Amino acid sequence: MTALDDALAATRYQSYVYAYPHKTAYRPIEPGEPLGPLWAGERRDALFAYFHIPFCEHRCGFCNLFTRPVPPEELVAAYLAALGRQTTVVRRALDEGGAFQLARAAIGGGTPTLLSAAQLEQLFGLVRALGVPAGIPMSVETSPETALPDRLAVVVGGGADRISMGIQSFLETECRAVNRPQQPGEVHRALRAIRDAGVATLNVDLMYGLPGQTAETWRTTLASALEYKPEEVYLYPLYVRPLTTLGKKGAAAVDSHRVELYDQGRAMLLEAGYRQVSLRMFRRGASASGPVYCCQDDGMVGLGCGARSYTRGLHYSTEWAVGARGVRDIIDRWVQRDEAAFAVADYGIRLDASEQRRRWLILSLLSDEGLDVAAYRAKFGAPVDADFPELAELAPRGLAKQRGDILALTHAGLARADAIGPWLYSADVRTRMAEYELA
Ligand SMILES: C[S@@+](CC[C@H](N)C(=O)[O-])C[C@H]1O[C@@H](n2cnc3c(N)ncnc32)[C@H](O)[C@@H]1O
Ligand code: SF4
């Protein structure tokens, strides 16, 4: 048995790898690194701008994102003021290195549409102030209760061509079981409002493996979502994380339940004309590629408390927490920051040459396009199988297949992407993550 066999035998649900290294591998950076010189050395012609709004109407029992439920009005105002200061500082830092081009943008959270229409106007003013040009792909996250026509009008008027809404389930009982108070009538109203707002790409997030969910209720949820012909559907396997409400209650997600519902959901979406892009993502027909952050090359400029930024040699963010007290304290300190505090990266992880190669490998292999071995060699000057001989374990197990220069996961591999990704983490990143969990 190899480490891969062990990983797959334990569970195929280890961790959702949407970035590498994981944020629990971040630590204080002392002294802080000034942003101007940091960004000056980057490839600057296709940057990704991300704005994080860490507020929600409630804290869902499964969610470990960086967000604070029901923020007081004064805090939201203070947050937007601080975001304004940060935007000025980051724009100045980018300008220091000469010309730059933002090619994609996203506003996420939390729930950005928890902001009022007037506050959203203010936010889009900052998006433009950073240098986001009109007409580039831009995605905004919303939730059923906050997808209101006046807010959606600002979002679409501000240039968003993709709106992504968390639904999870169309059954009130299933939502209640994971502390998400949500009425199906409200979800239908929100979906109609998003369609009426005229956005090009609607994405919906659905979850499987919820307590009490059956093949029958899962079919109902999928069919209800498909009535609105979303261009994209994300199917999330339920993860129960230790610091979440579900985790503290001792709830557990069952592997066999998730596997059965995954197979069912996948079959239903393929039947309805969707193409599987990753373990979670399905896209309808030939719809244009949305601004999904999956490129292993581009720099990401993150603004807001909880946002991450990726340069080649350094990934940084604000500190991170899930528990209510920790999140509140971090946001309260963040809104007090002055311009000087925003001008340095002081929490994150450095990526040496070997971690940069590993990151490129992991994100490529888990992406739609697969790993281009010729591109790897051209970029890093060595064959990928010399740097990562363990990759040879995938094909004999039916998890990946090489066609020409592309090594791509098979359907069996995609279904196990949440075990294959973590299997490729470096020993150092694993150690840091384990230390964080013990702290
Ligand atoms: C930022 S939220 C979506 C927008 C909005 N806040 C909402 O909930 O409607 C991101 C998505 O991640 C998924 N997610 C979060 N935590 C999860 C977990 N523990 N297990 C599975 N999926 C999870 C949910 O499907 C959720 O919709
Ligand atoms: S799932 Fe969405 S609404 Fe629920 S706590 Fe997380 S970010 Fe907020």
Side-chain angles (χ1 to χ4, degrees), residues 53 55-69 109-111 141-145 166 168 179-180 182 205 207:
I53 304 298
F55 302 126
C56 287
E57 290 217 304
H58 44 253
R59 164 67 83 173
C60 303
F62 53 81
C63 184
N64 69 350
L65 297 172
F66 186 87
T67 190
R68 170 176 177 170
T111 307
E141 284 176 4
T142 189
S143 70
E145 298 82 7
Q168 327 313 350
N179 301 71
R180 184 171 164 109
Q182 179 175 289
D205 293 340
M207 278 170 70

Side-chain angles (χ1 to χ4, degrees), residues 271-296:
E271 168 86 359
Y274 287 79
R275 185 172 68 83
Q276 185 168 18
V277 175
S278 66
L279 169 59
R280 290 171 178 69
M281 186 188 191
F282 294 80
R283 191 174 266 155
R284 188 155 59 86
S287 52
S289 66
V292 178
Y293 186 73
C294 60
C295 180
Q296 48 280 36

